Amino acid sequence: MSTKTAALTVTEQTGARTDEAAALIGDARERIDTLDDRIIGLIQERMAVSAVIQEARISSGGRRVNLTREMEVLGHYRDALGKPGTALAMTMLELCRGRI
């Protein structure tokens, strides 16, 4: 039984049926990777800002979480992205809670 050691071609990696489509997909995937890196950076920045807010709220005697504000955020994401936006916002809020 022989093992295939040859590397996959770009066409095979992308699932495209032409070299032109494979090149387009490859370029688009690079752009997506760049966007994902930026999104991750923005979420990390949001987490840091959220920690500042939570610390100020807690040190002033308030609660760690402001549910009214969270509902505003959920509505904003839902309005912009539909029902999946709500799930995305919930995940983001979860990442930003309780870091203090």
Side-chain angles (χ1 to χ4, degrees):
M1 183 167 157
S2 70
T3 306
K4 186 175 181 180
T5 58
L8 295 176
T9 66
V10 175
T11 303
E12 290 168 332
Q13 290 172 359
T14 63
R17 295 185 179 223
T18 66
D19 289 341
E20 181 180 290
L24 182 107
I25 291 168
D27 290 346
R29 284 182 178 172
E30 285 181 26
R31 178 79 173 123
I32 285 174
D33 291 344
T34 299
L35 290 167
D36 285 344
D37 288 342
R38 288 174 50 198
I39 291 166
I40 290 167
L42 288 169
I43 290 172
Q44 290 170 331
E45 183 179 349
R46 190 188 194 288
M47 290 167 64
V49 172
S50 182
V52 169
I53 292 168
Q54 288 176 53
E55 186 174 312
R57 190 181 305 118
I58 291 168
S59 68
S60 72
R63 299 179 70 185
R64 178 175 57 89
V65 175
N66 181 329
L67 296 178
T68 301
R69 173 63 180 153
E70 287 197 357
M71 293 306 294
E72 290 173 3
V73 172
L74 291 170
H76 180 69
Y77 275 71
R78 182 192 62 244
D79 292 347
L81 303 172
K83 186 177 178 182
T86 304
L88 177 62
M90 283 299 298
T91 299
M92 183 191 60
L93 289 170
E94 184 178 336
L95 286 167
C96 292
R97 283 190 207 123
R99 298 292 179 178
I100 319 175

